[in-house]
Amino acid sequence: SVAPHAVTYSTKTMIGTAGRIAARRAPPAAVRRMSTAEPKMHKAKEWQIIKDSRPKTHDHLVFEGDFPKLGIGLGVLAVIGAGYGSMYFGMWHQQTKQGYWK
């Protein structure tokens, strides 16, 4: 069993240490109040030129396109196979190392 004063001393020491570390690490900017002003937005000079250079077809072209189905399927199977294979290899290694599998 642990003496009651040991727990109290330990807790006080941890709190004191954490306070000293926090006091040393706190930058002056952290002490200031946070501003309630809106964030500054980027103002592009030629905004219309930037808008005109975007594709006119669609807003989001991330997952659209003529991707090869065979390549995507093989990629997905490779990722799943590598994940399963690495886990199985780890299990096999531990079981044989500890003598459960011969």
Side-chain angles (χ1 to χ4, degrees):
S1 105
V2 179
H5 68 279
V7 174
T8 306
Y9 177 74
S10 166
T11 304
K12 287 181 181 176
T13 305
M14 287 188 297
I15 292 172
T17 303
R20 282 193 305 277
I21 290 172
R24 271 188 268 143
R25 290 187 181 178
V31 177
R32 291 184 300 181
R33 287 183 170 231
M34 291 179 60
S35 174
T36 57
E38 301 242 350
K40 293 182 181 178
M41 300 300 288
H42 175 71
K43 305 280 193 244
K45 292 180 182 174
E46 292 92 15
W47 188 248
Q48 193 58 41
I49 296 172
I50 294 172
K51 280 177 127 179
D52 292 340
S53 68
R54 293 180 178 166
K56 309 264 188 283
T57 58
H58 211 228
D59 287 336
H60 303 285
L61 297 174
V62 177
F63 291 110
E64 294 181 15
D66 51 345
F67 300 116
K69 293 184 181 186
L70 180 65
I72 298 297
L74 288 176
V76 168
L77 288 176
V79 167
I80 292 172
Y84 179 81
S86 63
M87 294 302 293
Y88 185 81
F89 174 76
M91 182 183 71
W92 172 83
H93 175 69
Q94 287 296 325
Q95 296 289 14
T96 52
K97 183 174 89 169
Q98 294 171 2
Y100 293 111
W101 291 357
K102 305 284 184 208

